Amino acid sequence: MAAMAIRDILIIPDKRLRLKSEPVKTVDKALRALVEDMFETMYAAPGIGLAAIQIGVPQRVVTMDLAKKDDPPEPQVFINPEITWASADKSSYDEGCLSIPEYYEEVARPKAVKVKYLGLDGKEHELEADGLLATCLQHEIDHINGVLFIDHISKLKRDMVMKKFKKAAKRGDEVHVAPKDDTPEHHIG
Ligand SMILES: [Zn+2]
């Protein structure tokens, strides 16, 4: 057994976050090792969702755990996830992203979605989601397509955020992924 590892999370304006990730061909040992690292990294951040590209791996893999803070963990893995249906009804959620630390904005998305994906068992599954799960799935599936939640807000706000992070990157500022007193629920991933 290889030891699990916490990986560095890419922060904007890192260009890799704009890559379209490649489909996973086989659910093998290497993929399971990647998933372990993703969970380690996501729980440490802390976040409730993570796409492989956020640790620099351009593969269509998403990890998630929406369990409440003091409840037992509920790890979920979505390989090659694909939205097959989205409701016309929208809902808004104050989203955040581990790749855009300490920035939150209301994003309106379809309230419910159906998602087809492979599980760690290598088999195809489909689920219908609403609420936080629907929001989180759409946020993470955006990531594997090179899309960020700030792409769904006004251009004015997006430009301001990008400018702030570009400046910080230039100065070489240390960017804190999550302040200690923040709840993981606030960080979609
Ligand atoms: Zn994110």
Side-chain angles (χ1 to χ4, degrees):
M1 277 273 294
M4 293 186 285
I6 294 173
R7 312 260 204 112
D8 286 338
I9 294 175
L10 306 184
I11 307 290
I12 58 166
D14 195 305
K15 289 194 170 64
R16 287 171 288 178
L17 290 167
R18 293 307 192 174
L19 289 175
K20 199 174 151 90
S21 296
E22 293 293 328
V24 170
K25 289 196 185 84
T26 48
V27 179
D28 55 13
K29 208 174 147 189
L31 186 84
R32 282 190 288 271
L34 169 67
V35 166
E36 300 266 282
D37 281 3
M38 286 174 66
F39 275 118
E40 277 283 279
T41 306
M42 184 183 90
Y43 287 129
I48 59 175
L50 190 76
I53 190 59
Q54 291 180 278
I55 56 166
V57 179
Q59 289 196 55
R60 303 180 81 81
V61 183
V62 165
T63 55
M64 214 176 275
D65 191 332
L66 305 184
K68 296 239 159 50
K69 207 176 157 222
D70 297 315
D71 288 350
E74 288 167 25
Q76 288 179 283
V77 182
F78 303 92
I79 300 159
N80 300 341
E82 214 179 294
I83 294 170
T84 56
W85 171 84
S87 66
D89 274 8
K90 306 261 166 138
S91 70
S92 284
Y93 192 89
D94 198 24
E95 293 191 27
C97 181
L98 296 173
S99 296
I100 312 170
E102 292 170 57
Y103 182 75
Y104 308 97
E105 199 62 59
E106 289 264 320
V107 177
R109 299 181 185 268
K111 198 181 164 75
V113 288
K114 272 187 191 160
V115 174
K116 194 175 80 178
Y117 62 97
L118 294 179
L120 271 184
D121 55 7
K123 290 183 184 140
E124 195 170 281
H125 301 263
E126 191 167 27
L127 66 75
E128 187 168 343
D130 62 8
L132 182 57
L133 179 58
T135 296
C136 204
L137 278 165
Q138 292 174 79
H139 179 116
E140 301 307 335
I141 291 170
D142 268 358
H143 270 303
I144 60 178
N145 289 319
V147 176
L148 300 168
F149 87 90
I150 52 171
D151 298 341
H152 298 288
I153 66 176
S154 75
K155 186 179 184 301
L156 182 74
K157 282 179 180 169
R158 180 168 60 252
D159 288 349
M160 277 168 62
V161 182
M162 285 306 296
K163 209 170 144 188
K164 184 185 146 195
F165 278 88
K166 274 180 186 160
K167 261 190 192 164
K170 229 179 229 168
R171 282 199 308 261
D173 284 0
E174 177 148 346
V175 186
H176 297 284
V177 168
K180 277 198 187 89
D181 58 346
D182 231 345
T183 58
E185 286 79 16
H186 220 140
H187 297 265
I188 290 271

